[in-house]
Amino acid sequence: MKFSKDFIFGAASASYQIEGAIKEDGKSLSIWDTYCMREGTIKKGHNGDIACDHYHRYKEDVQLMKQIDLQAYRFSTSWPRILPNGTGAINEKGLDFYDRLVDELLTNDIEPFLTLFHWDLPLCLYEKGGWKNPDSADWFAEYASVVGTKLGDRVKNWMTFNEMAMFVRLGYLEAVHAPGEKNSTFECLRMIKNLLLAHGKGTSDLRSVLQKDAKIGFAHCGAINFPEDDSPANVAAARKSMFDVPNACGYHPVFSNTLYLDPIFLGKYDPQTLDYFGDDLPKINDEEMKIISQPIDFLGLNYYSGFMIKADEQGNPIEAESKEDEGYTNFDWPVRPKGLYWGSKFLYERYKSPILVTENGMSSADWVALDGKVHDHERIDFLRRYLEEFSKAGQDGVPLMGYMQWSIMDNFEWSEGFGQRFGLIHIDYKTQKRTLKDSALWYKEIIKSKDE
Ligand code: IFM
């Protein structure tokens, strides 16, 4: 696999999944804190109260990143740690944690990549209607500006939201993530408009406090489809299905790629979206669309698995069945590296934005062996396959910014609790002992080989 000299290799995490310290130093509660307190929401009653205790162990964690020779670390800031009331008074102690983390990373030559929202909405804002409240865009912009003002002198790469489509789907449609609601399509579409405006207003307020060379992106996760083979008909069908509403893979229409990415990158809803949702779709006027679609610097792609598509006799996309036995991760997600090649290509063709893989990885049933090591050979094979496909996209002309493996360490996997291990670093949750997995050492070699 080949990557350009300026391609950046990193690993990612999110505040609620690793930090713990949920009530410390002035932090207020998030919707995830209280969702976990509700009986039956999380497997085995797990929660993020302590998680990986990263809030206290961040220095040790940065040293482990250094041992892997990571070039970048993608993390998210916790909104209720920084603004306990959601807006207004800043909790300096909370903000100071990220200030110290950023300094620690830079001292160790690791580039910080900061995501502003990875799902831990302040509970107090949720109680005011959360993302359903049209004021939420201004709340988010204020938060973005507070974080940007403090860290913008050192953090050069920013993401507004992580997986907007996913948290709408899981948290507000299917009720399997916080806050656990089942809304109608009509209600979701209104919330999505507020979210898009939050992305837009957040981007402009952030831009105004950042340095000129800072980059801002949007980390997206949606249906990624790839063709059964390279025949023009199947490629055309897969391309079409990625941007169809509804999509051939059967996801709910509020999970459509175009609902989020077209307004952000193209400044409009596509005709199919307008047609499909009809009067349910809230109007976005020109001024609002301008805010939503102001230029950003990259498209973050979170990719784990996708759908294989072929053309039916009329050329329409339908799901194809795999001809071979596929591997499955511990989550039971099929191992489908080709989506990283085709997904990057299709997204670049339509949105013309450089691609940063903001998440990619697998969960496996890792444990510390008798020799004290973690032999996660499946993860090595998985990462190699996916990286090879991503590299191919680069060779075919897609501008690639970098790759953030998910995740730097095992962590709290939302409603699955600690049962799914995605990390390059194994966490013993009883002792908080960290162990570099074999995949971490393999990744170190891959990072090294880029410059050879
Ligand atoms: O752990 C999550 C992450 O928070 C968002 N993207 C998918 C990961 C694995 O499920």
Side-chain angles (χ1 to χ4, degrees):
M1 63 184 94
K2 274 209 184 97
F3 294 100
S4 66
K5 279 248 172 295
D6 54 356
F7 184 92
I8 191 150
F9 277 108
S13 72
S15 44
Y16 189 71
Q17 293 181 271
I18 65 166
E19 284 178 3
I22 63 157
K23 291 185 185 157
E24 223 166 299
D25 290 340
K27 178 187 168 293
S28 69
L29 294 181
S30 81
I31 55 168
W32 269 97
D33 293 316
T34 46
Y35 183 70
C36 292
M37 290 170 194
R38 271 158 59 185
E39 185 116 0
T41 51
I42 313 290
K43 271 198 189 156
K44 298 190 180 170
H46 289 166
N47 59 54
D49 289 8
I50 298 173
C52 308
D53 198 27
H54 174 74
Y55 188 74
H56 299 113
R57 295 169 193 261
Y58 73 95
K59 283 194 177 175
E60 178 186 354
D61 292 337
V62 172
Q63 282 318 304
L64 290 167
M65 294 175 206
K66 180 83 189 153
Q67 278 185 43
I68 309 173
D69 284 338
L70 279 196
Q71 297 175 300
Y73 171 52
R74 174 180 178 234
F75 62 95
S76 74
T77 45
S78 156
W79 189 345
R81 200 181 283 295
I82 294 172
L83 293 170
N85 304 318
T87 56
I90 298 172
N91 177 29
E92 293 298 343
K93 280 191 174 169
L95 197 49
D96 192 49
F97 167 66
Y98 300 107
D99 193 59
R100 285 181 278 121
L101 173 63
V102 165
D103 282 346
E104 192 69 18
L105 289 166
L106 290 171
T107 306
N108 288 284
D109 291 324
I110 301 167
E111 201 56 46
F113 277 59
L114 191 155
T115 310
L116 286 162
F117 188 76
H118 197 131
W119 307 359
D120 42 357
L121 182 72
L123 180 66
C124 54
L125 294 183
Y126 178 67
E127 286 166 349
K128 290 186 186 160
W131 297 116
K132 289 181 186 161
N133 186 330
D135 291 343
S136 55
D138 292 326
W139 302 337
F140 180 75
E142 180 181 334
Y143 162 57
S145 148
V146 166
V147 185
T149 303
K150 178 80 174 183
L151 304 176
D153 56 337
R154 285 154 290 154
V155 177
K156 304 289 176 207
N157 291 283
W158 296 74
M159 284 134 288
T160 52
F161 281 82
N162 187 66
E163 299 188 0
M164 197 182 273
M166 191 61 95
F167 72 77
V168 168
R169 179 183 142 203
L170 301 179
Y172 297 87
L173 187 74
E174 296 178 2
V176 292
H177 272 196
E181 295 184 4
K182 281 190 182 169
N183 292 285
S184 65
T185 301
F186 179 86
E187 286 167 316
C188 286
L189 291 171
R190 257 133 210 86
M191 193 169 68
I192 293 166
K193 175 179 171 185
N194 295 338
L195 282 163
L196 292 173
L197 279 166
H199 160 79
K201 290 187 174 183
T203 300
S204 59
D205 284 19
L206 193 56
R207 193 78 84 188
S208 70
V209 296
L210 296 184
Q211 296 183 351
K212 291 268 169 302
D213 57 347
K215 290 186 175 162
I216 302 178
F218 177 79
H220 177 70
C221 181
I224 298 294
N225 302 341
F226 59 93
E228 182 180 42
D229 54 38
D230 291 357
S231 72
N234 287 338
V235 171
R239 177 186 290 111
K240 180 173 180 320
S241 75
M242 276 244 330
F243 306 108
D244 266 354
V245 185
N247 186 298
C249 54
Y251 281 130
H252 191 283
V254 302
F255 195 61
S256 302
N257 289 313
T258 46
L259 196 50
Y260 305 85
L261 299 180
D262 278 30
I264 291 177
F265 288 96
L266 305 179
K268 58 183 182 197
Y269 280 130
D270 75 321
Q272 218 196 14
T273 302
L274 289 165
D275 192 49
Y276 182 83
F277 292 111
D279 289 343
D280 275 358
L281 200 64
K283 297 276 168 295
I284 297 186
N285 66 35
D286 289 352
E287 202 187 317
E288 290 169 332
M289 200 52 109
K290 227 167 125 189
I291 295 173
I292 292 170
S293 63
Q294 65 199 273
I296 54 171
D297 305 290
F298 62 91
L299 168 51
L301 170 60
N302 290 6
Y303 178 69
Y304 293 88
S305 190
F307 289 87
M308 190 155 72
I309 298 289
K310 65 180 181 186
D312 69 8
E313 276 164 19
Q314 284 75 44
N316 294 319
I318 50 170
E319 212 185 322
E321 234 179 77
S322 175
K323 290 179 186 138
E324 305 149 19
D325 264 354
E326 300 176 293
Y328 287 85
T329 71
N330 203 45
F331 231 137
D332 224 16
W333 296 347
V335 178
R336 292 185 171 162
K338 282 212 165 85
L340 205 44
Y341 170 76
W342 288 104
S344 307
K345 211 171 151 74
F346 293 154
L347 288 169
Y348 178 63
E349 280 170 5
R350 188 172 176 101
Y351 300 117
K352 307 279 182 283
S353 185
I355 307 280
L356 171 69
V357 167
T358 31
E359 287 184 23
N360 173 243
M362 67 169 280
S363 63
S364 65
D366 305 319
W367 67 88
V368 181
L370 284 173
D371 62 4
K373 297 180 179 166
V374 181
H375 302 296
D376 57 338
H377 293 168
E378 282 154 356
R379 181 170 291 102
I380 294 175
D381 186 65
F382 178 101
L383 295 178
R384 184 190 294 282
R385 287 172 190 259
Y386 279 64
L387 274 168
E388 273 171 2
E389 293 294 331
F390 194 43
S391 146
K392 243 175 76 187
Q395 284 157 39
D396 278 5
V398 178
L400 310 182
M401 221 176 120
Y403 174 90
M404 303 289 152
Q405 189 272 349
W406 183 270
S407 169
I408 182 62
M409 62 187 93
D410 295 340
N411 59 55
F412 177 76
E413 179 54 30
W414 309 114
S415 42
E416 294 290 316
F418 295 103
Q420 302 288 345
R421 293 179 177 272
F422 277 89
L424 293 174
I425 300 169
H426 180 275
I427 304 285
D428 179 328
Y429 294 105
K430 293 225 164 96
T431 61
Q432 290 295 341
K433 184 172 187 304
R434 275 96 165 115
T435 307
L436 287 186
K437 299 183 189 176
D438 287 356
S439 58
L441 304 172
W442 172 85
Y443 196 43
K444 179 185 170 96
E445 289 306 311
I446 293 292
I447 298 171
K448 199 166 115 203
S449 67
K450 188 188 69 143
D451 293 325
E452 282 168 359

